[in-house]
Amino acid sequence: IQNSEMGSEGPKAITIHVTGFKKFQGVPINPTEFIVNNLKDYVEKKGLPAGVTLGSCTVLEVAGDGALPQLHQTMESVVSKTDANSNANVVWVS
Protein backbone atom coordinates (compact mmCIF):
# COMPACT_ATOMS: atom_id res chain seq x y z
CA ILE A 1 0.00 0.00 0.00
CA GLN A 2 1.44 3.34 -1.04
CA ASN A 3 0.73 6.46 0.94
CA SER A 4 -0.79 8.96 -1.47
CA GLU A 5 1.17 11.81 0.15
CA MET A 6 4.52 10.09 -0.23
CA GLY A 7 6.16 10.53 -3.58
CA SER A 8 3.53 12.97 -4.77
CA GLU A 9 6.19 15.58 -5.31
CA GLY A 10 8.89 14.93 -7.86
CA PRO A 11 12.49 15.97 -7.36
CA LYS A 12 13.19 19.67 -7.18
CA ALA A 13 14.30 21.36 -10.37
CA ILE A 14 17.96 22.38 -10.46
CA THR A 15 19.42 25.40 -12.25
CA ILE A 16 23.19 25.49 -12.63
CA HIS A 17 25.12 28.75 -13.13
CA VAL A 18 28.74 28.44 -14.23
CA THR A 19 31.61 30.92 -14.06
CA GLY A 20 35.06 30.65 -15.56
CA PHE A 21 38.03 32.99 -15.72
CA LYS A 22 39.81 34.90 -18.48
CA LYS A 23 43.43 34.34 -19.43
CA PHE A 24 46.17 35.24 -16.99
CA GLN A 25 49.89 35.88 -17.16
CA GLY A 26 51.68 33.08 -18.97
CA VAL A 27 48.44 31.33 -19.99
CA PRO A 28 47.04 32.60 -23.31
CA ILE A 29 43.81 30.57 -23.06
CA ASN A 30 42.33 29.72 -19.69
CA PRO A 31 40.67 26.28 -19.92
CA THR A 32 37.75 27.49 -17.77
CA GLU A 33 37.09 30.32 -20.25
CA PHE A 34 37.03 27.81 -23.11
CA ILE A 35 34.66 25.52 -21.20
CA VAL A 36 32.25 28.29 -20.19
CA ASN A 37 32.21 29.80 -23.69
CA ASN A 38 31.31 26.42 -25.23
CA LEU A 39 29.08 24.97 -22.52
CA LYS A 40 25.71 26.22 -23.82
CA ASP A 41 26.34 24.76 -27.29
CA TYR A 42 27.46 21.48 -25.75
CA VAL A 43 24.36 21.29 -23.55
CA GLU A 44 22.10 22.08 -26.53
CA LYS A 45 23.65 19.17 -28.45
CA LYS A 46 23.95 16.63 -25.62
CA GLY A 47 21.14 17.69 -23.28
CA LEU A 48 20.90 17.54 -19.50
CA PRO A 49 19.04 15.19 -17.17
CA ALA A 50 15.36 15.89 -16.61
CA GLY A 51 14.81 18.78 -14.21
CA VAL A 52 18.29 20.25 -14.72
CA THR A 53 18.70 23.58 -16.49
CA LEU A 54 21.85 25.46 -17.42
CA GLY A 55 21.42 29.05 -16.27
CA SER A 56 24.12 31.63 -16.84
CA CYS A 57 27.62 31.03 -18.20
CA THR A 58 29.90 33.94 -17.28
CA VAL A 59 33.62 34.51 -17.82
CA LEU A 60 35.17 36.67 -15.08
CA GLU A 61 38.44 38.56 -14.75
CA VAL A 62 41.13 36.54 -13.02
CA ALA A 63 42.02 39.27 -10.51
CA GLY A 64 39.67 39.19 -7.54
CA ASP A 65 39.12 42.94 -7.62
CA GLY A 66 38.11 42.75 -11.28
CA ALA A 67 35.97 39.64 -10.90
CA LEU A 68 33.99 40.61 -7.81
CA PRO A 69 31.78 43.38 -9.29
CA GLN A 70 30.95 41.25 -12.34
CA LEU A 71 30.18 38.24 -10.15
CA HIS A 72 27.85 40.34 -7.96
CA GLN A 73 26.13 41.73 -11.04
CA THR A 74 25.65 38.22 -12.45
CA MET A 75 24.28 36.91 -9.17
CA GLU A 76 21.90 39.87 -8.75
CA SER A 77 20.64 39.40 -12.30
CA VAL A 78 19.93 35.73 -11.68
CA VAL A 79 18.26 36.36 -8.32
CA SER A 80 16.01 39.07 -9.79
CA LYS A 81 14.87 36.66 -12.53
CA THR A 82 14.26 33.77 -10.15
CA ASP A 83 10.80 33.28 -8.73
CA ALA A 84 11.13 33.68 -4.98
CA ASN A 85 8.36 31.13 -4.54
CA SER A 86 10.09 28.59 -6.75
CA ASN A 87 10.94 25.26 -5.23
CA ALA A 88 14.06 24.92 -7.41
CA ASN A 89 17.61 24.47 -6.20
CA VAL A 90 20.24 26.83 -7.58
CA VAL A 91 23.84 25.69 -7.96
CA TRP A 92 26.85 27.93 -8.67
CA VAL A 93 29.97 26.31 -10.13
CA SER A 94 33.18 28.27 -10.55
Side-chain angles (χ1 to χ4, degrees):
I1 299 175
Q2 183 179 8
N3 184 335
S4 62
E5 291 183 14
M6 292 183 67
S8 62
E9 294 182 24
K12 289 184 178 183
I14 298 171
T15 301
I16 301 173
H17 301 279
V18 182
T19 61
F21 294 95
K22 292 183 178 180
K23 64 182 179 179
F24 53 93
Q25 186 176 359
V27 178
I29 298 174
N30 188 326
T32 64
E33 180 178 10
F34 179 83
I35 290 168
V36 170
N37 284 335
N38 291 286
L39 190 56
K40 284 193 183 226
D41 288 338
Y42 179 83
V43 167
E44 286 176 11
K45 290 177 187 173
K46 299 291 184 174
L48 289 171
V52 178
T53 304
L54 180 62
S56 62
C57 289
T58 308
V59 177
L60 304 170
E61 295 290 333
V62 173
D65 290 342
L68 200 53
Q70 188 180 8
L71 179 60
H72 285 157
Q73 180 182 8
T74 301
M75 292 177 72
E76 287 174 11
S77 172
V78 168
V79 169
S80 68
K81 292 178 185 175
T82 303
D83 180 4
N85 297 323
S86 172
N87 202 24
N89 290 317
V90 176
V91 177
W92 287 89
V93 179
S94 183

Coordinates of all heavy atoms in Angstrom, one line a residue:
I1 N 0.9 -1.2 0.0 CA 0.0 0.0 0.0 C 0.9 1.2 0.0 O 1.8 1.3 0.8 CB -0.9 0.0 1.2 CG1 -1.8 -1.2 1.2 CG2 -1.7 1.3 1.3 CD1 -2.7 -1.3 2.4
Q2 N 0.6 2.1 -0.9 CA 1.4 3.3 -1.0 C 0.7 4.5 -0.5 O -0.5 4.7 -0.8 CB 1.8 3.6 -2.5 CG 2.7 4.8 -2.7 CD 3.0 5.0 -4.1 OE1 2.5 4.4 -5.0 NE2 3.9 6.0 -4.4
N3 N 1.3 5.3 0.4 CA 0.7 6.5 0.9 C 0.6 7.5 -0.2 O 1.6 7.8 -0.8 CB 1.6 7.0 2.1 CG 1.0 8.2 2.8 OD1 0.2 8.9 2.2 ND2 1.4 8.4 4.0
S4 N -0.6 8.0 -0.4 CA -0.8 9.0 -1.5 C 0.0 10.3 -1.3 O 0.2 11.0 -2.3 CB -2.3 9.3 -1.6 OG -2.8 9.9 -0.4
E5 N 0.4 10.6 -0.1 CA 1.2 11.8 0.1 C 2.7 11.6 -0.1 O 3.4 12.5 -0.5 CB 1.0 12.3 1.6 CG -0.4 12.8 1.8 CD -0.5 13.4 3.3 OE1 0.5 13.6 3.9 OE2 -1.6 13.6 3.7
M6 N 3.1 10.4 0.0 CA 4.5 10.1 -0.2 C 4.8 10.0 -1.7 O 4.0 9.4 -2.4 CB 4.9 8.8 0.4 CG 4.9 8.9 2.0 SD 5.5 7.4 2.7 CE 7.2 7.4 2.2
G7 N 5.8 10.6 -2.2 CA 6.2 10.5 -3.6 C 5.3 11.4 -4.5 O 5.4 11.3 -5.7
S8 N 4.4 12.2 -3.9 CA 3.5 13.0 -4.8 C 4.3 14.1 -5.4 O 3.9 14.7 -6.4 CB 2.3 13.5 -4.0 OG 2.8 14.3 -2.9
E9 N 5.4 14.5 -4.8 CA 6.2 15.6 -5.3 C 7.4 15.0 -6.0 O 8.1 14.1 -5.4 CB 6.7 16.5 -4.2 CG 5.5 17.3 -3.6 CD 6.1 18.3 -2.5 OE1 7.2 18.7 -2.6 OE2 5.3 18.6 -1.6
G10 N 7.7 15.4 -7.2 CA 8.9 14.9 -7.9 C 10.1 15.6 -7.3 O 10.0 16.5 -6.4
P11 N 11.3 15.3 -7.8 CA 12.5 16.0 -7.4 C 12.5 17.4 -7.7 O 11.8 17.8 -8.7 CB 13.6 15.2 -8.1 CG 12.9 14.5 -9.2 CD 11.5 14.3 -8.8
K12 N 13.1 18.2 -6.9 CA 13.2 19.7 -7.2 C 14.0 19.9 -8.5 O 14.9 19.2 -8.8 CB 13.9 20.4 -6.0 CG 13.1 20.5 -4.8 CD 13.9 21.3 -3.8 CE 13.1 21.4 -2.5 NZ 13.8 22.3 -1.5
A13 N 13.6 20.9 -9.2 CA 14.3 21.4 -10.4 C 15.6 22.0 -9.9 O 15.8 22.5 -8.8 CB 13.5 22.4 -11.1
I14 N 16.6 21.9 -10.8 CA 18.0 22.4 -10.5 C 18.4 23.3 -11.6 O 18.3 22.9 -12.8 CB 19.0 21.3 -10.3 CG1 18.6 20.3 -9.1 CG2 20.4 21.8 -10.1 CD1 19.4 19.1 -9.0
T15 N 18.8 24.5 -11.3 CA 19.4 25.4 -12.2 C 20.9 25.6 -11.9 O 21.2 25.9 -10.7 CB 18.7 26.8 -12.3 OG1 17.3 26.6 -12.6 CG2 19.3 27.7 -13.3
I16 N 21.8 25.4 -12.9 CA 23.2 25.5 -12.6 C 23.7 26.7 -13.3 O 23.5 26.9 -14.5 CB 23.9 24.2 -13.2 CG1 23.4 23.0 -12.4 CG2 25.4 24.4 -12.9 CD1 23.9 21.7 -13.0
H17 N 24.5 27.6 -12.6 CA 25.1 28.8 -13.1 C 26.6 28.5 -13.0 O 27.1 28.1 -12.0 CB 24.7 30.0 -12.3 CG 23.3 30.3 -12.3 ND1 22.6 30.9 -13.4 CD2 22.3 30.0 -11.4 CE1 21.4 31.0 -13.1 NE2 21.1 30.4 -12.0
V18 N 27.3 28.8 -14.1 CA 28.7 28.4 -14.2 C 29.6 29.7 -14.5 O 29.2 30.5 -15.3 CB 29.0 27.4 -15.4 CG1 30.5 27.0 -15.4 CG2 28.1 26.2 -15.2
T19 N 30.7 29.8 -13.8 CA 31.6 30.9 -14.1 C 33.0 30.3 -14.4 O 33.4 29.3 -13.8 CB 31.7 31.9 -12.9 OG1 32.2 31.2 -11.7 CG2 30.4 32.6 -12.6
G20 N 33.7 31.0 -15.2 CA 35.1 30.6 -15.6 C 35.9 31.9 -15.5 O 35.4 33.0 -15.1
F21 N 37.1 31.8 -15.8 CA 38.0 33.0 -15.7 C 38.8 33.2 -17.0 O 39.1 32.3 -17.7 CB 39.0 32.8 -14.6 CG 38.3 32.8 -13.2 CD1 38.0 31.6 -12.6 CD2 38.0 33.9 -12.6 CE1 37.4 31.5 -11.4 CE2 37.4 33.9 -11.4 CZ 37.1 32.7 -10.8
K22 N 39.1 34.5 -17.3 CA 39.8 34.9 -18.5 C 41.3 34.5 -18.3 O 41.7 34.0 -17.3 CB 39.7 36.4 -18.7 CG 38.3 36.9 -19.1 CD 38.3 38.3 -19.3 CE 36.9 38.7 -19.7 NZ 36.8 40.2 -20.0
K23 N 42.0 34.7 -19.4 CA 43.4 34.3 -19.4 C 44.2 35.1 -18.3 O 43.7 36.1 -17.8 CB 44.0 34.6 -20.8 CG 44.1 36.1 -21.2 CD 44.6 36.3 -22.5 CE 44.6 37.8 -22.9 NZ 45.2 38.0 -24.2
F24 N 45.3 34.6 -18.0 CA 46.2 35.2 -17.0 C 47.6 35.1 -17.4 O 47.9 34.4 -18.4 CB 46.0 34.7 -15.6 CG 46.1 33.2 -15.5 CD1 47.3 32.6 -15.1 CD2 45.0 32.4 -15.7 CE1 47.5 31.2 -15.0 CE2 45.1 31.0 -15.6 CZ 46.4 30.4 -15.3
Q25 N 48.5 35.8 -16.8 CA 49.9 35.9 -17.2 C 50.5 34.5 -17.4 O 50.4 33.6 -16.6 CB 50.7 36.6 -16.1 CG 52.1 36.9 -16.5 CD 52.9 37.7 -15.5 OE1 52.4 38.1 -14.5 NE2 54.2 37.9 -15.8
G26 N 51.0 34.3 -18.6 CA 51.7 33.1 -19.0 C 50.7 32.0 -19.5 O 51.2 31.0 -19.9
V27 N 49.4 32.3 -19.5 CA 48.4 31.3 -20.0 C 47.5 32.1 -21.0 O 46.7 32.8 -20.6 CB 47.6 30.7 -18.8 CG1 46.5 29.8 -19.4 CG2 48.5 30.1 -17.8
P28 N 47.8 31.9 -22.3 CA 47.0 32.6 -23.3 C 45.6 32.2 -23.4 O 44.7 33.1 -23.7 CB 47.7 32.3 -24.6 CG 48.5 31.0 -24.4 CD 48.8 31.0 -22.9
I29 N 45.2 31.0 -23.1 CA 43.8 30.6 -23.1 C 43.6 29.8 -21.8 O 44.2 28.8 -21.5 CB 43.5 29.6 -24.2 CG1 43.7 30.4 -25.6 CG2 42.1 29.1 -24.2 CD1 43.6 29.5 -26.8
N30 N 42.7 30.4 -20.9 CA 42.3 29.7 -19.7 C 41.3 28.6 -20.0 O 40.3 28.9 -20.6 CB 41.7 30.7 -18.7 CG 41.5 30.2 -17.3 OD1 41.2 29.0 -17.2 ND2 41.7 31.0 -16.3
P31 N 41.6 27.4 -19.6 CA 40.7 26.3 -19.9 C 39.2 26.5 -19.4 O 38.3 26.1 -20.1 CB 41.3 25.1 -19.2 CG 42.7 25.4 -19.0 CD 42.8 26.9 -18.9
T32 N 39.1 27.2 -18.3 CA 37.8 27.5 -17.8 C 37.0 28.5 -18.7 O 35.8 28.4 -18.8 CB 37.8 28.0 -16.3 OG1 38.4 29.3 -16.3 CG2 38.4 27.0 -15.4
E33 N 37.7 29.4 -19.3 CA 37.1 30.3 -20.2 C 36.6 29.5 -21.5 O 35.5 29.8 -21.9 CB 38.1 31.4 -20.7 CG 37.5 32.4 -21.7 CD 38.5 33.5 -22.0 OE1 39.7 33.4 -21.7 OE2 38.0 34.5 -22.7
F34 N 37.4 28.6 -22.0 CA 37.0 27.8 -23.1 C 35.8 27.0 -22.8 O 34.8 26.9 -23.6 CB 38.2 26.9 -23.5 CG 37.9 26.0 -24.7 CD1 38.0 26.5 -26.0 CD2 37.5 24.7 -24.4 CE1 37.7 25.6 -27.0 CE2 37.1 23.9 -25.5 CZ 37.2 24.3 -26.8
I35 N 35.8 26.4 -21.6 CA 34.7 25.5 -21.2 C 33.4 26.3 -21.1 O 32.3 26.0 -21.7 CB 35.0 24.8 -19.9 CG1 36.0 23.8 -20.1 CG2 33.7 24.2 -19.3 CD1 36.6 23.2 -18.8
V36 N 33.4 27.5 -20.4 CA 32.3 28.3 -20.2 C 31.7 28.8 -21.5 O 30.5 28.9 -21.8 CB 32.5 29.4 -19.2 CG1 31.4 30.4 -19.1 CG2 32.8 28.9 -17.8
N37 N 32.6 29.2 -22.4 CA 32.2 29.8 -23.7 C 31.6 28.8 -24.6 O 30.8 29.1 -25.5 CB 33.4 30.5 -24.4 CG 33.7 31.8 -23.8 OD1 32.9 32.5 -23.2 ND2 35.0 32.2 -24.0
N38 N 31.8 27.5 -24.4 CA 31.3 26.4 -25.2 C 30.2 25.6 -24.5 O 29.7 24.7 -25.2 CB 32.5 25.5 -25.7 CG 33.4 26.3 -26.7 OD1 33.0 26.5 -27.8 ND2 34.5 26.7 -26.2
L39 N 30.0 25.8 -23.3 CA 29.1 25.0 -22.5 C 27.6 25.0 -23.0 O 27.0 23.9 -23.1 CB 29.1 25.3 -21.0 CG 28.5 24.4 -20.1 CD1 29.0 23.0 -20.2 CD2 28.6 24.9 -18.6
K40 N 27.1 26.2 -23.4 CA 25.7 26.2 -23.8 C 25.5 25.4 -25.1 O 24.5 24.7 -25.2 CB 25.3 27.7 -24.0 CG 25.0 28.4 -22.7 CD 24.3 29.7 -22.9 CE 24.1 30.3 -21.5 NZ 22.8 30.8 -21.3
D41 N 26.4 25.5 -26.1 CA 26.3 24.8 -27.3 C 26.4 23.3 -27.0 O 25.7 22.5 -27.6 CB 27.4 25.2 -28.3 CG 27.2 26.5 -28.9 OD1 26.1 27.0 -28.9 OD2 28.2 27.1 -29.4
Y42 N 27.3 22.9 -26.1 CA 27.5 21.5 -25.8 C 26.2 20.9 -25.1 O 25.7 19.9 -25.5 CB 28.6 21.3 -24.8 CG 28.8 19.9 -24.3 CD1 29.6 19.0 -25.1 CD2 28.3 19.4 -23.1 CE1 29.7 17.7 -24.7 CE2 28.5 18.1 -22.8 CZ 29.2 17.2 -23.5 OH 29.4 15.9 -23.2
V43 N 25.6 21.7 -24.2 CA 24.4 21.3 -23.6 C 23.2 21.2 -24.6 O 22.4 20.3 -24.5 CB 24.0 22.2 -22.4 CG1 22.6 22.0 -21.9 CG2 25.0 22.0 -21.3
E44 N 23.2 22.1 -25.5 CA 22.1 22.1 -26.5 C 22.2 20.8 -27.4 O 21.2 20.2 -27.7 CB 22.2 23.3 -27.4 CG 21.7 24.6 -26.8 CD 21.8 25.8 -27.6 OE1 22.1 25.7 -28.8 OE2 21.6 26.9 -27.1
K45 N 23.4 20.4 -27.6 CA 23.6 19.2 -28.4 C 23.4 17.9 -27.6 O 22.8 16.9 -28.1 CB 25.1 19.2 -29.0 CG 25.3 20.2 -30.1 CD 26.7 20.2 -30.6 CE 27.0 21.4 -31.5 NZ 28.4 21.5 -31.9
K46 N 24.0 17.9 -26.4 CA 24.0 16.6 -25.6 C 22.8 16.5 -24.6 O 22.4 15.5 -24.2 CB 25.3 16.5 -24.8 CG 26.5 16.4 -25.7 CD 26.6 15.1 -26.5 CE 27.8 15.1 -27.3 NZ 28.0 13.8 -27.9
G47 N 22.2 17.7 -24.2 CA 21.1 17.7 -23.3 C 21.6 17.5 -21.8 O 22.8 17.3 -21.6
L48 N 20.7 17.7 -20.9 CA 20.9 17.5 -19.5 C 19.8 16.6 -18.9 O 18.8 16.4 -19.6 CB 20.8 18.9 -18.8 CG 21.9 19.9 -19.1 CD1 21.6 21.2 -18.5 CD2 23.2 19.4 -18.5
P49 N 20.1 16.0 -17.8 CA 19.0 15.2 -17.2 C 17.8 16.0 -16.9 O 17.8 17.2 -16.8 CB 19.7 14.8 -15.8 CG 21.1 15.0 -16.0 CD 21.3 16.1 -17.0
A50 N 16.7 15.3 -16.9 CA 15.4 15.9 -16.6 C 15.4 16.7 -15.3 O 16.0 16.3 -14.3 CB 14.3 14.8 -16.5
G51 N 14.9 17.9 -15.4 CA 14.8 18.8 -14.2 C 16.0 19.6 -14.0 O 16.1 20.4 -13.1
V52 N 17.1 19.5 -14.8 CA 18.3 20.2 -14.7 C 18.3 21.3 -15.9 O 18.1 20.9 -17.0 CB 19.5 19.3 -14.7 CG1 20.8 20.2 -14.7 CG2 19.5 18.3 -13.6
T53 N 18.6 22.5 -15.5 CA 18.7 23.6 -16.5 C 20.0 24.3 -16.3 O 20.5 24.6 -15.2 CB 17.6 24.6 -16.3 OG1 16.3 23.9 -16.3 CG2 17.6 25.7 -17.3
L54 N 20.6 24.6 -17.5 CA 21.9 25.5 -17.4 C 21.4 26.9 -17.4 O 20.7 27.4 -18.3 CB 22.7 25.2 -18.6 CG 24.0 26.0 -18.7 CD1 24.9 25.7 -17.5 CD2 24.7 25.6 -20.0
G55 N 21.8 27.6 -16.4 CA 21.4 29.0 -16.3 C 22.4 29.9 -17.0 O 22.7 29.8 -18.2
S56 N 23.1 30.7 -16.3 CA 24.1 31.6 -16.8 C 25.5 31.0 -17.0 O 25.8 30.1 -16.2 CB 24.3 32.9 -16.0 OG 24.7 32.6 -14.7
C57 N 26.2 31.4 -18.0 CA 27.6 31.0 -18.2 C 28.4 32.3 -18.3 O 28.2 33.1 -19.3 CB 27.8 30.2 -19.5 SG 27.1 28.6 -19.4
T58 N 29.2 32.6 -17.4 CA 29.9 33.9 -17.3 C 31.4 33.7 -17.1 O 31.8 32.9 -16.3 CB 29.4 34.8 -16.1 OG1 27.9 34.8 -16.1 CG2 29.9 36.2 -16.1
V59 N 32.2 34.5 -17.9 CA 33.6 34.5 -17.8 C 34.0 35.8 -17.1 O 33.7 36.9 -17.4 CB 34.3 34.5 -19.2 CG1 35.8 34.5 -19.1 CG2 33.9 33.2 -20.0
L60 N 34.8 35.6 -16.0 CA 35.2 36.7 -15.1 C 36.6 37.0 -15.3 O 37.4 36.2 -15.7 CB 34.9 36.3 -13.6 CG 33.5 35.9 -13.2 CD1 33.5 35.3 -11.8 CD2 32.6 37.0 -13.4
E61 N 37.0 38.2 -14.8 CA 38.4 38.6 -14.8 C 39.1 37.7 -13.7 O 38.5 37.2 -12.8 CB 38.6 40.0 -14.3 CG 38.1 41.0 -15.3 CD 38.9 41.1 -16.6 OE1 40.1 40.8 -16.5 OE2 38.3 41.5 -17.6
V62 N 40.4 37.4 -14.0 CA 41.1 36.5 -13.0 C 41.4 37.2 -11.7 O 41.2 36.6 -10.6 CB 42.5 36.1 -13.6 CG1 43.3 35.3 -12.6 CG2 42.2 35.2 -14.9
A63 N 41.7 38.5 -11.7 CA 42.0 39.3 -10.5 C 40.7 39.4 -9.7 O 39.7 39.8 -10.2 CB 42.6 40.6 -10.9
G64 N 40.8 39.1 -8.4 CA 39.7 39.2 -7.5 C 39.0 40.5 -7.6 O 37.7 40.6 -7.6
D65 N 39.7 41.6 -7.6 CA 39.1 42.9 -7.6 C 38.3 43.2 -8.9 O 37.3 43.8 -8.9 CB 40.2 44.0 -7.5 CG 40.8 44.1 -6.1 OD1 40.2 43.5 -5.1 OD2 41.9 44.6 -5.9
G66 N 38.8 42.6 -10.0 CA 38.1 42.7 -11.3 C 36.9 41.8 -11.4 O 35.9 42.1 -12.1
A67 N 37.0 40.7 -10.8 CA 36.0 39.6 -10.9 C 34.8 39.9 -10.0 O 33.6 39.6 -10.3 CB 36.5 38.3 -10.6
L68 N 35.0 40.5 -8.8 CA 34.0 40.6 -7.8 C 32.8 41.4 -8.3 O 31.6 41.0 -8.1 CB 34.6 41.2 -6.5 CG 33.8 41.0 -5.3 CD1 33.4 39.5 -5.1 CD2 34.5 41.5 -4.1
P69 N 33.0 42.6 -8.8 CA 31.8 43.4 -9.3 C 31.0 42.6 -10.4 O 29.7 42.6 -10.3 CB 32.3 44.7 -9.8 CG 33.7 44.8 -9.2 CD 34.2 43.4 -9.0
Q70 N 31.7 42.0 -11.3 CA 31.0 41.2 -12.3 C 30.2 40.0 -11.8 O 29.1 39.7 -12.2 CB 31.9 40.8 -13.4 CG 31.2 40.2 -14.6 CD 32.2 39.8 -15.7 OE1 33.4 39.8 -15.5 NE2 31.7 39.4 -16.8
L71 N 30.8 39.4 -10.8 CA 30.2 38.2 -10.1 C 28.9 38.7 -9.4 O 27.9 38.1 -9.5 CB 31.1 37.5 -9.2 CG 30.6 36.3 -8.4 CD1 30.1 35.3 -9.4 CD2 31.6 35.8 -7.5
H72 N 29.0 39.8 -8.7 CA 27.9 40.3 -8.0 C 26.8 40.7 -8.9 O 25.6 40.4 -8.7 CB 28.2 41.5 -7.1 CG 29.0 41.2 -5.9 ND1 29.8 42.0 -5.2 CD2 29.0 40.0 -5.1 CE1 30.3 41.4 -4.1 NE2 29.8 40.2 -4.1
Q73 N 27.1 41.3 -10.0 CA 26.1 41.7 -11.0 C 25.4 40.5 -11.6 O 24.2 40.5 -11.8 CB 26.8 42.5 -12.2 CG 25.8 43.0 -13.2 CD 26.6 43.7 -14.4 OE1 27.8 43.8 -14.4 NE2 25.8 44.3 -15.3
T74 N 26.2 39.5 -11.9 CA 25.7 38.2 -12.5 C 24.7 37.6 -11.5 O 23.6 37.2 -11.8 CB 26.8 37.2 -12.8 OG1 27.7 37.8 -13.8 CG2 26.2 35.9 -13.4
M75 N 25.1 37.5 -10.2 CA 24.3 36.9 -9.2 C 23.0 37.7 -9.0 O 21.9 37.1 -8.8 CB 25.1 36.8 -7.9 CG 26.2 35.8 -8.0 SD 27.2 35.6 -6.5 CE 26.0 34.8 -5.4
E76 N 23.1 39.0 -8.9 CA 21.9 39.9 -8.8 C 20.9 39.7 -9.9 O 19.7 39.6 -9.7 CB 22.3 41.3 -8.6 CG 22.9 41.6 -7.2 CD 23.5 43.1 -7.1 OE1 23.2 43.9 -8.0 OE2 24.2 43.3 -6.2
S77 N 21.5 39.6 -11.1 CA 20.6 39.4 -12.3 C 19.9 38.1 -12.2 O 18.7 38.0 -12.5 CB 21.5 39.4 -13.6 OG 20.8 39.1 -14.7
V78 N 20.6 37.0 -11.8 CA 19.9 35.7 -11.7 C 18.9 35.7 -10.6 O 17.8 35.2 -10.8 CB 21.0 34.6 -11.4 CG1 20.3 33.3 -11.0 CG2 21.9 34.4 -12.6
V79 N 19.2 36.3 -9.4 CA 18.3 36.4 -8.3 C 17.0 37.2 -8.7 O 15.9 36.8 -8.4 CB 18.9 36.9 -7.1 CG1 17.9 37.2 -6.0 CG2 20.0 36.0 -6.5
S80 N 17.2 38.3 -9.4 CA 16.0 39.1 -9.8 C 15.1 38.3 -10.8 O 13.9 38.6 -10.8 CB 16.5 40.4 -10.4 OG 17.1 40.2 -11.6
K81 N 15.7 37.4 -11.6 CA 14.9 36.7 -12.5 C 14.3 35.4 -11.9 O 13.4 34.8 -12.5 CB 15.7 36.3 -13.7 CG 16.2 37.4 -14.6 CD 17.1 37.0 -15.7 CE 17.6 38.2 -16.5 NZ 18.6 37.7 -17.5
T82 N 14.7 35.0 -10.8 CA 14.3 33.8 -10.2 C 13.0 34.0 -9.3 O 12.9 35.0 -8.6 CB 15.4 33.2 -9.2 OG1 16.5 33.0 -10.0 CG2 14.9 31.9 -8.6
D83 N 12.0 33.2 -9.5 CA 10.8 33.3 -8.7 C 11.1 32.9 -7.3 O 11.6 31.9 -7.0 CB 9.8 32.3 -9.3 CG 8.4 32.3 -8.6 OD1 8.3 33.2 -7.6 OD2 7.6 31.6 -8.9
A84 N 10.8 33.9 -6.4 CA 11.1 33.7 -5.0 C 10.3 32.5 -4.4 O 10.7 31.9 -3.4 CB 10.8 35.0 -4.2
N85 N 9.2 32.2 -5.0 CA 8.4 31.1 -4.5 C 8.7 29.8 -5.2 O 8.1 28.8 -4.9 CB 6.9 31.4 -4.8 CG 6.4 32.7 -4.0 OD1 6.9 32.9 -2.9 ND2 5.6 33.5 -4.7
S86 N 9.7 29.8 -6.1 CA 10.1 28.6 -6.8 C 10.6 27.6 -5.8 O 11.3 27.9 -4.8 CB 11.2 28.9 -7.8 OG 11.7 27.7 -8.3
N87 N 10.4 26.3 -6.1 CA 10.9 25.3 -5.2 C 12.2 24.7 -5.8 O 12.6 23.6 -5.5 CB 9.9 24.2 -5.1 CG 10.1 23.3 -3.9 OD1 10.7 23.7 -2.9 ND2 9.5 22.1 -3.9
A88 N 12.9 25.4 -6.7 CA 14.1 24.9 -7.4 C 15.3 25.1 -6.6 O 15.4 26.1 -5.8 CB 14.2 25.6 -8.8
N89 N 16.3 24.3 -6.8 CA 17.6 24.5 -6.2 C 18.5 25.2 -7.2 O 18.4 25.0 -8.4 CB 18.2 23.1 -5.9 CG 17.6 22.4 -4.8 OD1 17.3 23.0 -3.8 ND2 17.4 21.1 -4.9
V90 N 19.3 26.1 -6.7 CA 20.2 26.8 -7.6 C 21.6 26.5 -7.2 O 22.0 26.5 -6.0 CB 20.0 28.4 -7.4 CG1 21.0 29.1 -8.3 CG2 18.6 28.7 -7.9
V91 N 22.5 26.1 -8.2 CA 23.8 25.7 -8.0 C 24.8 26.6 -8.7 O 24.5 26.9 -9.9 CB 24.1 24.2 -8.5 CG1 25.5 23.8 -8.3 CG2 23.1 23.3 -7.8
W92 N 25.8 27.1 -8.0 CA 26.9 27.9 -8.7 C 28.1 27.1 -8.7 O 28.6 26.6 -7.7 CB 27.1 29.2 -7.9 CG 26.0 30.2 -8.0 CD1 24.9 30.3 -7.2 CD2 25.9 31.2 -8.9 NE1 24.1 31.3 -7.7 CE2 24.7 31.9 -8.7 CE3 26.7 31.7 -10.0 CZ2 24.2 33.0 -9.5 CZ3 26.2 32.7 -10.8 CH2 25.1 33.4 -10.5
V93 N 28.7 27.0 -9.9 CA 30.0 26.3 -10.1 C 31.0 27.3 -10.7 O 30.7 28.0 -11.7 CB 29.8 25.1 -11.1 CG1 31.1 24.4 -11.3 CG2 28.7 24.2 -10.6
S94 N 32.1 27.4 -10.1 CA 33.2 28.3 -10.5 C 34.4 27.5 -10.7 O 34.8 26.6 -10.0 CB 33.4 29.4 -9.5 OG 34.3 30.3 -10.0

